Amino acid sequence: MKPAPTLSTAFLHPAGQSLPEPLLALRKQRGTALVDMPLPTRKTENWKYSSKYLKLTDDMAISLPAEGKTGSSLAVPGYKVAFLNGVMMPEACEYPDLDGISIKSFGDLSDDEASDLADRLDSTLDNKAVQMARLNSARFEDGLLIRLKPDAVLDQPLFIVHEVTAEASGSAFPRIFVDAGRHSQITLVEEYISSGSAQVMVNTVTEFNVAEGANITSVRLNMEGENVQHIGSTGVLQQRSSRFESHTVGFGGPLRRHDLQVRLEGEGAECKLNGVVVTQGKQHYDNHTTIEHVAAHCNSEETYRNIAADQSHAVFNGRIHIHQDAQKSNADMNNKNLLLSNGAEIDTKPELEIYADDVKCAHGATIGQLDEISLFYLVSRGIGRREANVLLTMAFINELVEQIPIEAVRETVQGRLNHFFEQAFQEA
Amino acid sequence: MLSIKNLHASVEGKEILKGINLEIKAGEVHAIMGPNGSGKSTLSQVLAGNEAFEVTEGEITLNGDNLLELETEERAREGIFLAFQYPVEIPGVSNLQFLRTAVNAMRQHKGQDEMNAAEFMKLAREISKQVDLDPAFLKRGVNEGFSGGEKKRNEIMQALLLQPKLAILDETDSGLDIDALKVVSDGVNALRAEDRAILMVTHYQRLLNHIVPDYVHVLAGGKIIKSGGRELALELEERGYGWLGIKDEETADSSAN
């Protein structure tokens, strides 16, 4: 038998050395642990449908240079932080000094702050389940640390734009760490975009530490180009009575992967996870979510929708794990999928593991096509076939798009969806 | 206006219509009656262009144009309107969006400017009153959670908005209580016009007390077996279908054997 392929050593050399010493040390230690790391193959359960899209050739191992200009597609009211190829661009950031809220690049941290952060990086993620997040820990060159003191409330959304410039092949390793103190509140938008057309990889990690009673709304927009492999992980650790709400919207690419892991560690914590994915052409997108009900009396609600056109391939894997002590858990997971062509593929797998005996746990997964009778009804009123298709496809995700909390974001998403529809439904 | 000659149609290889002949002139109201399974709904669906039904023989023309060459949406734009027996629920598309898209598709076809949201809202509110639908229905999903009567009123509302040349009403009276029947009938009567024809498909004659037809046809086993004036409907009401040599339960299917 052929030995499993391992991560090329070319990937084990981070470029930038401008981080505080404790973070450099951590990065080095994580890098050492990656030697001979097996790459996911189709026999790796959580990469079964996606490993064939993963292409980590040596030319991808180079760190993309942190220079140039950034331009977000979001013209939005709010505070802005811009990263280029994983490194913060101070001149493109706009946010005031805020009482009780600290927004800093990793590079600007004092040694004490960096040492504290180094102790806590990766603590929200199950590294066995997110193999590729470990690569980020060995390679990040900068990052964003957001700390909210108890009761601090960010009065406007914070937009974090992560742009990758693909003039030549290489990789970028964006990283965000959020520390939300007791009863603090923040709405945060991560937007991933790209320019240039070389084959590149973006490997992200975002972590949320959500203290008692804190309330976080997170929006994640995956808007990168056709040349970008994106492998992202988000870890969320929730304490008592906290709330985490997530809206992820993703457009397909050569490889798109997002792992979202939420741990409900304190009683009364709740999370709501919404996701919309659209793919076309030969694009791919894979969402893997895990919700750990560790403490009792927690609620989770998850709604994901995939739409796959042409020969594209979408994957959803939703795991809910209810621990033995997590009595009175309430978990509801729903995944619906729409195939717009015979050549498209969607793989969906709900996974429930329940060890407590007094819980409510519901799940549903469906895969279908546009309803012929609905289509006939619309066209019988003179509505063109293309427009009828668009109306019905939009109807499939409308409920989720409408829940995205910021109007400017909804408009950006709608603009991208319209572009998708133009490609997916050619005028007959 | 509408001319049907020797129309044969099948669904899933089974012949349902076996040679229909029918002429409808502008301004006329025709009723097609018949027992369950006689092919009434098939005829409606074929006229509207449902691709699940295959026309195997015969022709249909609308003002001289070959209807069978047109797609469903083109037929609608030429003035064919079908009020569905079972209007479809489409959650996620608001009734308002649906109606406005339809009206604007028609306007575009006629070379008129599209109506903006405010203009359309005004029109939609007026017409929803005419069919006694709360304008709040406009914000809900298409037919989503509507009662049977509300769905039927929504169909008539669409006919009033789209102003078709030929309105086909497929069992529009089914599932209506007497008050709703009155509202729907008033709506249909408001549609009556010199340049418009109405084709009502119904099992019972009670609708015809409210909307008085000029002609009544009896459809059985996929053919029109008798035509007459409105007195024919009253006779059917009194005597049932039996005296015409057909059983009410008889289907096109069994009569073929």
Side-chain angles (χ1 to χ4, degrees), chain B residues 2-253:
Chain B
L2 181 76
S3 170
I4 303 175
K5 292 200 175 102
N6 190 33
L7 180 68
H8 290 251
S10 311
V11 61
E12 290 168 354
K14 194 191 290 174
E15 188 169 60
I16 308 286
L17 300 182
K18 298 169 182 173
I20 302 259
N21 292 290
L22 185 64
E23 295 284 334
I24 300 179
K25 294 193 179 67
E28 292 178 350
V29 176
H30 288 241
I32 292 197
M33 301 183 67
N36 289 328
S38 58
K40 300 192 300 288
S41 279
T42 299
L43 178 60
S44 314
Q45 297 281 322
V46 166
L47 287 171
N50 189 338
E51 285 166 5
F53 298 85
E54 193 195 350
V55 173
T56 51
E57 208 182 324
E59 62 178 61
I60 309 174
T61 58
L62 182 71
N63 294 325
D65 294 331
N66 182 357
L67 206 60
L68 294 175
E69 279 181 359
L70 301 182
E71 298 286 341
T72 302
E73 62 272 28
E74 293 169 324
R75 296 183 195 195
R77 290 171 197 160
E78 293 302 326
I80 299 269
F81 179 89
L82 169 63
F84 280 54
Q85 181 179 6
Y86 303 109
V88 184
E89 292 196 23
I90 312 179
V93 178
S94 80
N95 219 9
L96 191 66
Q97 186 185 18
F98 162 59
L99 297 173
R100 190 173 147 223
T101 307
V103 165
N104 279 337
M106 295 292 191
R107 292 180 68 92
Q108 199 185 15
H109 179 69
K110 289 180 196 154
Q112 296 168 329
D113 285 342
E114 294 196 354
M115 284 182 114
N116 67 34
E119 286 169 332
F120 183 76
M121 191 67 192
K122 191 162 171 272
L123 176 67
R125 280 172 175 278
E126 275 169 29
I127 298 203
S128 64
K129 256 182 229 153
Q130 198 179 337
V131 293
D132 199 23
L133 270 180
D134 187 332
F137 278 95
L138 294 169
K139 305 250 175 189
R140 302 213 333 226
V142 174
N143 292 318
E144 189 183 4
F146 287 26
S147 71
E150 286 159 352
K151 284 180 182 165
K152 295 297 172 76
R153 280 183 271 159
N154 196 16
E155 295 295 287
I156 301 305
M157 172 163 176
Q158 290 165 42
L160 289 165
L161 278 169
L162 298 173
Q163 295 285 313
K165 289 185 190 135
L166 171 69
I168 306 156
L169 312 176
D170 189 1
E171 305 273 2
T172 292
D173 53 328
S174 68
L176 295 184
D177 61 32
I178 195 74
D179 293 331
L181 185 65
K182 178 81 170 56
V183 171
V184 164
S185 307
D186 287 349
V188 175
N189 283 324
L191 276 175
R192 292 184 88 146
E194 290 209 345
D195 57 353
R196 178 174 297 132
I198 295 173
L199 177 62
M200 289 187 290
V201 171
T202 180
H203 186 86
Y204 302 104
Q205 90 89 31
R206 65 170 190 161
L207 181 66
L208 309 185
N209 292 333
H210 299 270
I211 310 163
V212 179
D214 301 305
Y215 300 95
V216 174
H217 312 275
V218 179
L219 184 64
K223 285 183 175 177
I224 289 175
I225 58 162
K226 193 166 180 63
S227 296
R230 75 162 303 223
E231 69 283 352
L232 178 56
L234 298 171
E235 198 165 357
L236 286 170
E237 169 90 339
E238 206 173 301
R239 301 172 64 182
Y241 290 100
W243 63 282
L244 290 167
I246 48 175
K247 288 182 198 150
D248 199 352
E249 293 77 19
E250 190 172 21
T251 64
D253 190 17

Side-chain angles (χ1 to χ4, degrees), chain A residues 203-422:
Chain A
N203 178 210
T204 79
V205 173
T206 303
E207 297 187 78
F208 293 95
N209 264 287
V210 193
E212 180 179 331
N215 189 344
I216 291 187
T217 301
S218 155
V219 180
R220 183 187 179 93
L221 304 176
N222 208 308
M223 317 282 256
E224 290 143 328
E226 295 282 347
N227 51 317
V228 180
Q229 294 183 65
H230 182 109
I231 305 161
S233 302
T234 300
V236 184
L237 211 55
Q238 289 190 244
Q239 305 307 329
R240 177 185 287 266
S241 302
S242 64
R243 178 177 162 79
F244 178 80
E245 180 176 320
S246 144
H247 303 264
T248 71
V249 180
F251 295 85
L255 168 83
R256 293 276 192 272
R257 170 69 179 239
H258 186 224
D259 284 86
L260 173 55
Q261 301 187 336
V262 180
R263 245 179 113 80
L264 303 167
E265 285 206 329
E267 288 193 5
E270 61 177 49
C271 70
K272 176 188 175 90
L273 313 179
N274 285 352
V276 173
V277 160
V278 297
T279 55
Q280 62 193 159
K282 292 187 182 316
Q283 292 172 347
H284 162 266
Y285 208 114
D286 180 346
N287 270 308
H288 265 63
T289 68
T290 302
I291 301 170
E292 299 275 351
H293 278 261
V294 182
H297 297 281
C298 292
N299 292 324
S300 66
E301 183 189 338
E302 178 172 16
T303 313
Y304 270 64
R305 300 270 186 275
N306 291 320
I307 300 173
D310 307 324
Q311 286 84 47
S312 64
H313 186 186
V315 182
F316 173 78
N317 193 107
R319 178 164 183 262
I320 295 176
H321 178 191
I322 300 188
H323 295 231
Q324 200 170 354
D325 295 335
Q327 298 297 355
K328 304 284 183 192
S329 290
N330 196 349
D332 187 355
M333 174 168 60
N334 180 294
N335 169 238
K336 285 187 189 164
N337 300 286
L338 180 61
L339 287 166
L340 293 180
S341 104
N342 292 335
E345 175 177 342
I346 295 177
D347 297 285
T348 175
K349 190 169 87 178
E351 280 181 49
L352 273 63
E353 259 183 74
I354 303 174
Y355 297 101
D357 53 14
D358 185 12
V359 301
K360 257 196 230 166
C361 195
H363 70 94
T366 61
I367 301 185
Q369 291 166 287
L370 289 180
D371 179 36
E372 285 295 328
I373 295 167
S374 299
L375 200 57
F376 175 61
Y377 190 63
L378 294 177
V379 297
S380 80
R381 299 310 184 234
I383 296 172
R385 233 155 256 266
R386 190 190 165 277
E387 193 156 14
N389 277 317
V390 170
L391 279 173
L392 291 179
T393 308
M394 199 57 220
F396 187 73
I397 51 175
N398 233 343
E399 175 200 355
L400 294 180
V401 174
E402 280 170 6
Q403 285 180 49
I404 297 172
I406 303 155
E407 192 184 353
V409 176
R410 285 195 298 273
E411 280 169 12
T412 299
V413 168
Q414 188 64 56
R416 271 297 290 265
L417 286 171
N418 292 346
H419 182 72
F420 169 84
F421 294 141
E422 268 166 38

